[in-house]
Amino acid sequence: MSALEPGLSEPQPTAVIPPPPEGGILSSAYRTLSIGMVSVIFLIAFEATAVGTAMPVAARDLDGIGLYAFAFSAYFTTSLFGMVLAGQWSDRQGPLRPLGLGIGAFAAGLVLAGTAGAMWVFVLGRAVQGFGGGLVIVALYVVVSRAYEERLRPAIMAAFAASWVVPSIVGPLAAGTVTEHLGWRWVFLGIPVLVVVPLAVALPAIRRSASGPVDPQAPPAAFDRRRIRLALAISVGAGLLQYAAQDLRWLSLLPGVAGAALLVPAVLGLLPRGTYRARRGLPSVVLLRGLAAGSFIAAESFVPLMLVTQRGLSPTLAGFSLALGGLTWAGGSWLQARSWAEPHRERLMVLGMLLVASAIAAAPAVLVPWVPVWSLAVAWGVGCLGMGLVLGSTSVLLLKLSAPEEAGANSAALQISDALANVVLLAAGGAAFAALGGGSVGAGAHAAGGAAAAGAAGASHPAAFVVVFLPMAAVALVGAWVATRLHDRTDRDLKTA
């Protein structure tokens, strides 16, 4: 997460034929498109679960534990620019080209990370991945908006979540086994092979059903250069802020202040007005997405490292401890897609955020030696159930609130909130982690070798993990409050406030 091959160039825009009123997402009218899109999500899911398992070993091998959080946030930093670009590009010419370019960049980033000889090259590879991932995710939302009628959107979102189940179970096991027997590099270098499936299945189906502008008769809309400049500013600003958070010196205040100066006006210009005041309707939907994804991902990024360094687990077992989450996440997304859930969507999302907050708050309990490791797997499964309820619903509400010609820009805003919250909260968590000695976690283990040594090396740093998890639980609780503001008081049909 190569540019399109010549044979995949987009045809002249033609009017999009409305889908038939009957049939589900696997009916003859949708089958190829649905399978192709789910295969793209499957690729993203397999990468996320496999790479997360290999990351602690990669960071330790490259002597980059101090930049551990940066290896995650670099992905989200560059994805911010890709999201805005994809939103504009998709609204102007259709989602086919940004999706093809995004998949190619995603694969190229994996190769760069897998061949890295230094941590900064590894982080650069993650950044290239992030740019591709930003293009892909927004383009997929535009496809859903154009190709699927409203009644089918919860079902296709649930299918996206279900496509995480197999990678969540197989990914950590496969990545851990490869890491232990062949080396972590092969985890990154092996995944790009999966790019063949999305290119062969998804792109032709999207070309037939969702290519070209919404109105082929209208003159092509020009790129909004102001939004592109804001997207560049938000990416550079987020990168500077993350750098400052990882380098805890007085001199780092300079890039930190510069990053904030770029970031704040860019965010205000790219997100719906009233987002950070939790204004009812679309702004609160966008804000909730960031609070949910940011708090959960920032916490989850440290789970494998905590299990490897504090409890002496192998990379395989550390990654596999999160496998239950794939099942429960899909279950939560399936529940929100049921027809009976629609009148209760807001209450389900409040419940989901409370489950997320509880899971994050419970995670540090595993630092206590007599607490069984499997308790974290159970807690994380509960949190993933909440995430399935919340994220699937935010996607459904976003598309319901968006006119077809605004689907790209609004989808980009939703994903910007998601990625920006990841960057900011990972920066905050990474700074707290480093300040309490987290940068040296695992260093002794690397020198001594072995899982037992990993536990011993990190035994003096449990507080470095606690200061990551507990603040993220508090952020999730704020999200539970925001989830009460998704409907306008005077319009229960989800019209814009």
Side-chain angles (χ1 to χ4, degrees), residues 43 82 84 133 458:
L43 166 67
V84 177

Side-chain angles (χ1 to χ4, degrees), residues 316-416:
T316 302
L317 291 178
F320 202 63
S321 67
L322 304 178
L324 177 64
L327 291 169
T328 57
W329 192 310
S333 190
W334 179 84
L335 286 173
Q336 66 82 30
R338 300 303 91 194
S339 58
W340 59 262
E342 187 60 38
H344 311 289
R345 190 173 295 280
E346 183 178 291
R347 279 175 286 184
L348 285 174
M349 296 174 79
V350 173
L351 173 62
M353 289 307 303
L354 292 176
L355 294 177
V356 170
S358 300
I360 297 174
V366 79
L367 292 167
V368 179
W370 53 263
V371 173
V373 172
W374 57 259
S375 65
L376 187 146
V378 173
W380 219 248
V382 170
C384 286
L385 174 64
M387 288 295 286
L389 290 171
V390 173
L391 262 63
S393 292
T394 57
S395 301
V396 171
L397 293 180
L398 183 282
L399 294 177
K400 191 170 186 177
L401 285 163
S402 302
E405 65 276 8
E406 298 174 343
N410 287 346
S411 295
L414 188 75
Q415 298 303 324
I416 287 170

Side-chain angles (χ1 to χ4, degrees), residues 11 16 21 43 66 90 111 113 133-134 149 174 183 195 204 219 254 309 343 352 389 400 408 437 472 495 497:
V16 177
L43 166 67
S90 297
V111 172
E149 53 185 314
V195 171
L254 294 178
T309 61
L389 290 171
K400 191 170 186 177
M472 298 309 155
K495 300 297 182 183

Side-chain angles (χ1 to χ4, degrees), residues 17-34 37-38 140-141 143-161 209 333-334 336-339 342 345 392-393 395-397 399-400:
I17 301 174
E22 301 297 332
I25 61 173
L26 291 180
S27 63
S28 58
Y30 297 102
R31 185 179 301 117
T32 302
L33 177 62
S34 297
M37 291 178 65
V38 168
L140 287 179
Y141 271 67
V143 174
V144 171
S145 174
R146 292 193 185 188
Y148 295 85
E149 53 185 314
E150 187 174 308
R151 68 180 180 85
L152 293 177
R153 291 172 188 167
I156 190 63
M157 292 299 176
F160 286 175
S209 60
S333 190
W334 179 84
Q336 66 82 30
R338 300 303 91 194
S339 58
E342 187 60 38
R345 190 173 295 280
S393 292
S395 301
V396 171
L397 293 180
L399 294 177
K400 191 170 186 177

Side-chain angles (χ1 to χ4, degrees), residues 74-455:
Y75 180 99
F76 299 112
T77 299
T78 53
S79 70
L80 291 166
F81 182 75
M83 289 167 185
V84 177
L85 179 61
Q88 297 241 335
W89 199 353
S90 297
D91 285 342
R92 184 174 184 267
Q93 295 182 342
L96 182 62
R97 289 180 182 272
L99 182 60
L101 177 60
I103 292 174
F106 191 84
L110 284 166
V111 172
L112 184 58
T115 57
M119 192 62 180
W120 71 268
V121 180
F122 183 87
V123 171
L124 178 61
R126 293 287 292 164
V128 174
Q129 270 187 268
F131 175 70
L135 291 172
V136 168
I137 194 65
V138 171
L140 287 179
Y141 271 67
V142 175
V143 174
V144 171
S145 174
R146 292 193 185 188
Y148 295 85
E149 53 185 314
E150 187 174 308
R151 68 180 180 85
L152 293 177
R153 291 172 188 167
I156 190 63
M157 292 299 176
F160 286 175
S163 67
W164 280 76
V165 174
V166 172
S168 295
I169 297 172
V170 176
L173 181 61
T177 301
V178 170
T179 298
E180 291 177 27
H181 294 91
L182 297 178
W184 62 266
R185 296 182 184 277
W186 288 103
V187 175
F188 290 84
L189 297 176
I191 293 175
V193 176
L194 298 176
V195 171
V196 174
V197 175
L199 284 176
V201 180
L203 298 184
I206 292 170
R207 185 197 314 202
R208 291 191 298 269
S209 60
S211 62
V214 174
D215 184 1
Q217 306 304 320
F223 278 98
D224 187 338
R225 295 184 178 180
R226 175 180 172 274
R227 289 184 68 84
I228 297 297
R229 288 195 298 269
L230 289 175
L232 185 60
I234 202 174
S235 296
V236 174
L240 289 172
L241 196 65
Q242 176 67 23
Y243 173 79
Q246 292 296 304
D247 189 16
L248 300 178
R249 296 179 299 171
W250 286 108
L251 194 60
S252 298
L253 287 175
L254 294 178
V257 171
L262 287 170
L263 198 61
V264 172
V267 169
L268 295 177
L270 289 172
L271 298 186
R273 187 182 299 274
T275 295
Y276 288 106
R277 297 195 308 272
R279 177 183 168 188
R280 290 183 176 271
L282 180 63
S284 284
V285 173
V286 172
L287 176 59
L288 177 60
R289 179 59 167 258
L291 294 174
S295 61
F296 192 79
I297 297 301
E300 187 178 64
S301 299
F302 286 87
V303 168
L305 185 66
M306 180 172 65
L307 293 177
V308 168
T309 61
Q310 302 298 304
R311 296 302 297 264
L313 267 65
S314 68
T316 302
L317 291 178
F320 202 63
S321 67
L322 304 178
L324 177 64
L327 291 169
T328 57
W329 192 310
S333 190
W334 179 84
L335 286 173
Q336 66 82 30
R338 300 303 91 194
S339 58
W340 59 262
E342 187 60 38
H344 311 289
R345 190 173 295 280
E346 183 178 291
R347 279 175 286 184
L348 285 174
M349 296 174 79
V350 173
L351 173 62
M353 289 307 303
L354 292 176
L355 294 177
V356 170
S358 300
I360 297 174
V366 79
L367 292 167
V368 179
W370 53 263
V371 173
V373 172
W374 57 259
S375 65
L376 187 146
V378 173
W380 219 248
V382 170
C384 286
L385 174 64
M387 288 295 286
L389 290 171
V390 173
L391 262 63
S393 292
T394 57
S395 301
V396 171
L397 293 180
L398 183 282
L399 294 177
K400 191 170 186 177
L401 285 163
S402 302
E405 65 276 8
E406 298 174 343
N410 287 346
S411 295
L414 188 75
Q415 298 303 324
I416 287 170
S417 177
D418 185 319
L420 182 62
N422 282 322
V423 170
V424 172
L425 293 179
L426 273 168
F433 181 74
L436 272 76
S440 61
V441 166
H446 182 52

